[in-house]
């Protein structure tokens, strides 16, 4: 088990954003465009942006 000592690894943001992308795709296929789908998509974009910011800035 890894310990987080005040530092968040960027890979966690990438893994989480991929999960949100998959969840939003599955939800969109089952229910169509709903508020939950938009929310999951916004979370995916936010976590991808966080990953990019932590890696390249």
């Amino acid at each position: 088990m890894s310990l987080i000592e005040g530092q968040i690894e960027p890979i966690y943001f990438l893994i989480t954003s991929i999960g949100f992308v998959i969840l939003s795709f599955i939800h969109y296929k089952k229910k169509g465009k709903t508020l939950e789908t938009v929310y999951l998509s916004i979370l995916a974009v936010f976590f991808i942006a966080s990953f990019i910011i932590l890696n390249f800035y």
Side-chain angles (χ1 to χ4, degrees):
M1 180 176 233
S2 66
L3 296 174
I4 299 176
E5 297 176 7
Q7 180 181 359
I8 299 174
E9 296 292 328
I11 193 71
Y12 297 143
F13 285 99
L14 181 63
I15 293 169
T16 307
S17 66
I18 291 171
F20 281 132
V21 167
I22 292 170
L23 283 175
S24 62
F25 179 74
I26 291 170
H27 193 271
Y28 179 76
K29 283 293 196 183
K30 287 188 175 188
K31 303 286 183 178
K33 187 177 180 182
T34 62
L35 184 62
E36 290 87 4
T37 308
V38 173
Y39 178 70
L40 287 170
S41 301
I42 290 171
L43 280 177
V45 170
F46 175 73
F47 275 85
I48 289 172
S50 299
F51 171 74
I52 291 170
I53 288 170
L54 283 175
N55 270 339
F56 302 113
Y57 290 113

